[in-house]
Amino acid sequence: MKMQRPKVRFKGFTDDWEQRKLGEVVERRIEQRQQSDEYPRLAFASGQGVIPLSERKTNNREQLTKDEFTKKYLVTELDDIVYNPANVKYGAIDRNKYGRGLISPIYVTFTTKEIPGFIERIVTSHNFQQRALRFEEGTVTKRQSVNPEDLITLDVLVTTKKEEQKKIASFFDDLDNLITFHQRKCEQTKKLKKYMLQKMFPKEGQTVPEIRFEGFTDAWEKHKFSDVIEIGSGMDYKHLEEGNVPVYGTGGYLLSVNKALSDDKDAIGIGRKGTIDKPYILRAPFWTVDTLFYCIPKEDYDLDFTSCIFQNVDWKKKDESTGVPSLSKVIINNVETITPIFDEQKKIGNYFQNLDYLITLHQRKCDELQNIKKFMLQNMFI
């Protein structure tokens, strides 16, 4: 019997892990029932896991039928391992974290006497799924279909110590909860920003916004972007090394990349290649890699506020190209906008700057935790 140990372990555990067949640590659940209050219909989807049928993001392919309440479905309980035999490549194997219910009989459910969260991390690992794909079945195009009878023949390495299994499962549950928390906070802050961009700027035809800071009552003034910004042309190159670098769209070469387009003034970048609808702030000094234009606010215009009015423009509707998204200085300069006095601009700009900071913070934390999880999955399992 093959014996191995993972690189990273909790203190106090030193025994070798044992090699077993998956079928030795899980058992197939075959019970079927009609739906009821106690056994509601559930869905199982890649990336979502087991969820109420109504929360499924993808199109619901299971249409209601006349025998909907007499038809039998597969039972699943909390902590079951649920598997879609037709979709292993895309991660359609997960632990039921929702609870009791019924899922389509096209799926397979397994129970285990081991710690379910420990088994979950084994069967959802990239290594396990790649090995499972050796059994894939299909016709002309591969369907990544792996028969459950083949799946359970795969070797897995497990610790026989339930306490170690429990600690590992709890560690990854905590990591997943933190990742979910920061993902949720990031999405909530993005939604708040989108809502406030609509409410803190006047609607078309109006001169005051629905929501504004206390102490400001004056009407906003109409302008064209040419009154608000100075536009400079960006450059398109892929690196900042010395040498002849092709300049996008000119057929010419940039002989030196040492000279910044702006040494001391921040700007708003309008990108190319599908990014004209996502203006971003450039901090001086900048070379504007892959930037179509950079727009420096004129005197009495706040950078962060000006960034917000750029985000309120539907730039895709102003796209002049038939291929790579493109704009012209004329188009940008002629865009109509409406602005308040500088002090109100500053407050609005600071507010959205803080929202952007929160979005970045939660996204960064999420990315860091994902990297930690990836590393620990590689080192806490064999």
Side-chain angles (χ1 to χ4, degrees):
M1 185 177 289
K2 190 176 181 181
M3 300 286 189
Q4 295 190 56
R5 300 174 185 176
K7 294 178 183 178
V8 177
R9 302 184 82 170
F10 286 99
K11 189 176 180 180
F13 299 100
T14 57
D15 293 347
D16 288 329
W17 286 24
E18 295 184 2
Q19 181 173 292
R20 298 182 182 173
K21 299 294 184 186
L22 180 63
E24 296 178 61
V25 295
V26 299
E27 183 178 346
R28 190 166 177 175
R29 186 190 293 279
I30 58 174
E31 181 185 2
Q32 294 192 3
R33 286 176 175 263
Q34 295 174 358
Q35 64 175 302
S36 64
D37 291 340
E38 186 180 4
Y39 288 89
R41 285 287 309 282
L42 304 175
F44 177 60
S46 178
Q48 293 178 267
V50 176
I51 53 174
L53 195 62
S54 60
E55 293 181 14
R56 186 170 185 159
K57 291 179 184 176
T58 53
N59 291 331
N60 192 349
R61 297 182 295 274
E62 299 175 46
Q63 302 296 322
L64 292 175
T65 60
K66 292 181 180 178
D67 62 349
E68 185 69 17
F69 289 90
T70 58
K71 186 177 177 181
K72 288 190 175 182
Y73 295 91
L74 184 64
V75 170
T76 180
E77 302 278 357
L78 183 68
D79 285 332
D80 280 355
I81 301 297
V82 182
Y83 168 53
N84 179 355
N87 201 16
V88 68
K89 184 174 182 180
Y90 303 101
I93 183 167
D94 207 348
R95 174 165 59 102
N96 177 356
K97 302 177 183 75
Y98 180 80
R100 173 176 289 175
L102 303 174
I103 56 176
S104 169
I106 67 170
Y107 303 125
V108 177
T109 54
F110 295 106
T111 64
T112 181
K113 292 180 180 178
E114 308 299 322
I115 302 300
F118 175 75
I119 300 301
E120 171 199 354
R121 269 74 193 198
I122 292 174
V123 298
T124 58
S125 71
H126 178 74
N127 174 271
F128 179 87
Q129 291 179 18
Q130 289 302 113
R131 288 190 292 127
L133 287 174
R134 293 181 311 185
F135 297 110
E136 69 183 357
E137 300 171 354
T139 52
V140 177
T141 58
K142 290 183 178 179
R143 293 166 45 217
Q144 289 80 45
S145 174
V146 179
N147 192 305
E149 284 73 26
D150 291 326
L151 193 76
I152 61 175
T153 66
L154 286 171
D155 291 328
V156 292
L157 284 152
V158 300
T159 172
T160 58
K161 304 291 185 183
K162 290 288 180 66
E163 190 58 34
E164 186 175 16
Q165 290 186 16
K166 192 179 296 183
K167 281 182 176 290
I168 292 170
S170 294
F171 173 79
F172 284 103
D173 282 346
D174 290 343
L175 262 184
D176 285 340
N177 288 337
L178 278 173
I179 291 168
T180 300
F181 170 78
H182 286 291
Q183 285 174 334
R184 187 177 294 124
K185 282 293 185 181
C186 188
E187 290 306 312
Q188 288 173 346
T189 310
K190 285 179 180 178
K191 287 180 181 178
L192 175 61
K193 179 182 176 180
K194 183 178 180 181
Y195 175 81
M196 296 306 280
L197 280 170
Q198 295 171 345
K199 297 295 183 179
M200 294 184 73
F201 289 79
K203 291 182 178 178
E204 189 173 352
Q206 298 184 6
T207 58
V208 293
E210 292 180 42
I211 297 175
R212 64 197 308 190
F213 288 99
E214 187 176 356
F216 299 102
T217 56
D218 293 344
W220 291 25
E221 294 184 357
K222 293 182 180 180
H223 296 282
K224 287 191 174 182
F225 267 38
S226 56
D227 300 324
V228 178
I229 55 168
E230 293 283 355
I231 305 175
S233 295
M235 300 176 185
D236 186 9
Y237 45 89
K238 296 293 183 278
H239 52 80
L240 299 176
E241 298 172 356
E242 287 288 348
N244 294 346
V245 181
V247 177
Y248 180 85
T250 67
Y253 287 86
L254 184 71
L255 299 181
S256 173
V257 295
N258 289 328
K259 176 64 178 172
L261 292 174
S262 174
D263 288 308
D264 57 0
K265 290 185 178 180
D266 298 335
I268 295 146
I270 298 290
R272 59 172 106 245
K273 299 181 181 177
T275 63
I276 61 170
D277 59 326
K278 298 178 179 64
Y280 47 93
I281 289 179
L282 294 160
R283 299 292 179 183
F286 59 80
W287 290 262
T288 63
V289 179
D290 276 351
T291 297
L292 189 60
F293 297 111
Y294 62 97
C295 307
I296 297 176
K298 293 184 177 181
E299 190 176 355
D300 293 330
Y301 287 97
D302 177 71
L303 175 72
D304 292 297
F305 173 83
T306 307
S307 174
C308 289
I309 63 176
F310 266 80
Q311 291 174 57
N312 272 330
V313 175
D314 188 348
W315 292 105
K316 284 188 175 180
K317 286 187 177 179
K318 302 183 184 300
D319 183 3
E320 299 175 300
S321 72
T322 56
V324 176
S326 182
L327 297 168
S328 69
K329 291 183 181 181
V330 173
I331 286 291
I332 297 172
N333 277 326
N334 283 330
V335 171
E336 293 184 346
T337 187
I338 186 166
T339 65
I341 60 173
F342 184 79
D343 287 348
E344 188 171 5
Q345 289 181 35
K346 195 70 179 173
K347 279 190 173 287
I348 293 170
N350 285 341
Y351 175 78
F352 283 99
Q353 183 185 46
N354 288 335
L355 286 184
D356 286 337
Y357 171 77
L358 284 173
I359 291 168
T360 301
L361 175 68
H362 288 298
Q363 187 59 61
R364 187 177 294 129
K365 289 297 293 183
C366 194
D367 293 342
E368 288 173 359
L369 290 165
Q370 291 281 19
N371 287 334
I372 290 170
K373 180 181 177 181
K374 181 180 179 180
F375 175 84
M376 297 306 267
L377 283 170
Q378 290 171 344
N379 288 276
M380 293 181 76
F381 289 87
I382 308 169

